[in-house]
Amino acid sequence: MFLQQLLNGLTLGSVYALIALGYTMVYGILELINFAHGEIYMVGAYLGIIFLGFFTAIGLTSYSLTLALFLTVLLSIIFCSSYGFTIEKIAYKPLRNAPRLSPLISAIGVSIFLQNYVMLTQGATDKVFPPLFENSAFEFLSVRITSIQLFIILTAGVLMILLRFFVRKTRMGKAMQAVAQDKTMASLVGININTIISITFIIGSGLAAVAGLMVAIYYGLVNYSIGYIAGIKAFTAAVLGGIGSIRGAMFGGIILGLVESLGAGYISSEYKDAYAFIILVIILLVKPEGLFGRGV
């Protein structure tokens, strides 16, 4: 029972970590909480259903399911990254020098707009993800591990490692670190601040798209409101790990997933969504800078 709940929590936490990375990257660069980020995750789930449905209709899934899934993931990332890029240019860039409250209200407005946009275009009822995958399972130490759980954990792990490598080792990643430390000095040494900000939104939105697609595969159902709760939980994960810390977002997401799963298994599943808020309150009271954040 305990090991099974740990596996379930690790699966859920991997998704939270991917979404939390978008929050923490944007905050690290702009010191802005992008509350529309959860809706990008939701859009990614819907795009997965739309593209996979299209490939099924033209017979590509019958020819090669792997190719269809790869194209679905790729197109979902491209579209969601475009959404993130556009949102930054329209809703945030004009308010870059405005009081802190203005971009925050703009972010909430974008979140509400995207929710209603998807509801009007896709309907208010749940959408079913095409059951194309055989969810095989095997047991190890009395723990039932499904192929979809394994896929989610491995995919999230690879993406987080690649992001860590990108930020630490590449020229663009070092430019992002420089902008996060001091925008004025970064611009003085020739770094294009606007380009770095756009890339940050693009990367974060791409990760959210993958998270949305994985959740659609895992649960088999999506609706226009899933981004709100997932966004709040991912924000909690980012705060738990230390908002602005990429490593913190990764560990915060995993910890939150484990706490939620263990709480649902041993306390009550009816309050599983409340555990994130309880953790958020405790962290803000006890250690507001988070596990890997710095008190400034």
Side-chain angles (χ1 to χ4, degrees):
M1 177 67 175
F2 176 73
L3 293 177
Q4 186 67 59
Q5 292 300 334
L6 283 182
L7 175 65
N8 296 339
L10 183 60
T11 305
L12 197 58
S14 298
V15 175
Y16 290 156
L18 288 182
I19 310 173
L21 284 169
Y23 277 106
T24 206
M25 288 173 66
V26 169
Y27 185 85
I29 299 292
L30 288 177
E31 296 186 353
L32 163 72
I33 303 298
N34 178 21
F35 280 116
H37 189 64
E39 273 54 56
I40 297 295
Y41 150 85
M42 177 266 295
V43 169
Y46 270 93
L47 287 173
I49 292 177
I50 292 170
F51 288 129
L52 203 54
F54 171 74
F55 292 137
T56 301
I58 64 174
L60 182 59
T61 53
S62 300
Y63 173 73
S64 175
L65 183 57
T66 303
L67 177 60
L69 181 60
F70 172 77
L71 291 176
T72 297
V73 173
L74 181 62
L75 289 172
S76 297
I77 291 174
I78 291 173
F79 271 74
C80 282
S81 296
S82 300
Y83 271 98
F85 175 83
T86 305
I87 288 170
E88 191 276 323
K89 293 300 181 186
I90 294 176
Y92 301 145
K93 186 177 180 181
L95 301 174
R96 201 165 290 168
N97 297 318
R100 290 283 184 88
L101 192 59
S102 298
L104 180 62
I105 294 173
S106 182
I108 296 173
V110 171
S111 172
I112 296 172
F113 170 79
L114 285 177
Q115 278 193 43
N116 285 272
Y117 168 72
V118 172
M119 181 185 68
L120 292 173
T121 56
Q122 302 298 319
T125 57
D126 291 347
K127 293 291 183 181
V128 179
F129 194 85
L132 301 173
F133 309 96
E134 181 183 351
N135 193 15
S136 57
F138 62 93
E139 287 196 7
F140 178 73
L141 296 178
S142 300
V143 178
R144 185 175 183 272
I145 306 173
T146 67
S147 56
I148 292 180
Q149 286 179 315
L150 202 58
F151 168 74
I152 291 174
I153 294 171
L154 291 177
T155 301
V158 169
L159 288 175
M160 287 188 279
I161 291 171
L162 289 175
L163 177 64
R164 182 80 173 173
F165 175 82
F166 173 81
V167 172
R168 292 292 180 184
K169 301 298 182 182
T170 67
R171 183 182 180 89
M172 187 64 68
K174 292 177 180 178
M176 292 172 66
Q177 294 182 64
V179 173
Q181 287 184 351
D182 192 321
K183 296 181 185 61
T184 303
M185 288 301 298
S187 63
L188 289 175
V189 296
I191 296 174
N192 190 319
I193 306 297
N194 291 325
T195 299
I196 296 301
I197 293 173
S198 295
I199 290 173
T200 302
F201 272 87
I202 288 170
I203 293 174
S205 299
L207 294 174
V210 176
L213 184 57
M214 292 193 302
V215 163
I217 295 173
Y218 189 52
Y219 290 109
L221 290 173
V222 299
N223 63 63
Y224 70 94
S225 63
I226 63 171
Y228 174 74
I229 293 296
I232 293 295
K233 290 181 179 179
F235 170 67
T236 301
V239 173
L240 172 61
I243 191 75
S245 168
I246 291 178
R247 180 179 57 167
M250 296 176 186
F251 282 97
I254 299 299
I255 293 171
L256 183 62
L258 292 173
V259 169
E260 183 175 320
S261 180
L262 292 172
Y266 289 99
I267 302 175
S268 174
S269 61
E270 294 181 359
Y271 298 101
K272 69 181 183 67
D273 290 334
Y275 300 137
F277 297 98
I278 295 172
I279 290 176
L280 180 60
V281 171
I282 293 173
I283 287 296
L284 291 177
L285 289 174
V286 177
K287 202 175 190 301
E289 70 271 18
L291 299 177
F292 296 95
R294 292 177 298 174
V296 293

